[in-house]
Amino acid sequence: MKILDYFNDIIDKFEIRQWPMPERVSLFRVLLEVYHSDGEFSENEREAFRSSMLGTGVSEDDVSVDFSEAIAELKKDAKKMELVRFWVAASIFDDDDYDKKEQAFIKEIIIKYDLNEQALKGTIRQLRDKKMDEAITDWYYSMDNRIGS
């Protein structure tokens, strides 16, 4: 994890820690659903999920609220939904893939729960582009090191 990402994670968690417990639980219930959306919950995803809860006062055992109720709870606050969108997008890419099942899941929840499609898909695109830029940069430097050796 890059140092800037590390500090952003701490800032996000500090903000989330200020939320009432039902809203924190709802956030992680939504993220858990995202992690399961492709039909797989890999060990890397499980570890990322557990790591995301650290410092927020929420444990895996707390995350048993109904998914529909979790979305409804979070939609009450537009500012919180901005952070939810970012964390949903980040969770999608924890397995370094945004496959057809995950895309269908995002489309389904946008329609079913009347989420802001432009905002959610825009956040997903931003994170996808950032990951692509990082991959290209890493590839470039690895090629440069091979050629320069």
Side-chain angles (χ1 to χ4, degrees):
M1 177 184 284
K2 296 186 174 156
I3 193 75
L4 186 56
D5 293 335
Y6 174 77
F7 284 115
N8 286 337
D9 186 54
I10 290 173
I11 291 166
D12 286 351
K13 285 184 178 181
F14 178 77
E15 184 175 336
I16 291 165
R17 181 90 182 163
Q18 307 309 308
W19 295 5
M21 183 57 90
E23 292 174 356
R24 284 185 265 163
V25 168
S26 292
L27 168 65
F28 292 105
R29 176 61 181 98
V30 169
L31 297 183
L32 185 61
E33 194 76 15
V34 170
Y35 282 119
H36 284 279
S37 67
D38 62 358
E40 299 175 26
F41 191 42
S42 69
E43 192 55 41
N44 286 344
E45 288 174 316
R46 185 179 311 278
E47 185 56 38
F49 179 66
R50 288 178 180 151
S51 176
S52 69
M53 287 188 289
L54 290 176
T56 65
V58 178
S59 73
E60 277 186 87
D61 295 335
D62 297 329
V63 187
S64 59
V65 67
D66 177 74
F67 180 71
S68 297
E69 292 175 18
I71 291 278
E73 178 73 34
L74 294 166
K75 278 185 65 178
K76 294 176 186 175
D77 187 322
K79 184 160 173 47
K80 288 178 181 158
M81 279 304 293
E82 288 179 29
L83 196 54
V84 170
R85 280 193 297 273
F86 175 79
W87 279 50
V88 163
S91 297
I92 285 172
F93 291 108
D94 272 339
D95 65 356
D96 293 323
D97 188 21
Y98 183 37
D99 64 28
K100 298 282 186 200
K101 290 180 183 176
E102 291 164 325
Q103 292 172 26
F105 170 77
I106 293 298
K107 184 176 182 178
E108 178 185 326
I109 65 170
I110 286 170
I111 293 167
K112 186 173 182 178
Y113 300 106
D114 193 31
L115 301 179
N116 184 330
E117 179 176 12
Q118 184 177 358
L120 180 54
K121 287 186 174 181
T123 302
I124 291 169
R125 271 192 301 280
Q126 283 180 314
L127 275 172
R128 180 203 60 207
D129 293 350
K130 181 179 180 214
K131 284 194 158 286
M132 185 61 80
D133 287 346
E134 289 172 358
I136 289 170
T137 300
D138 290 346
W139 174 81
Y140 174 79
Y141 284 116
S142 71
M143 292 304 290
D144 192 40
N145 287 337
R146 281 191 232 162
I147 294 170
S149 302

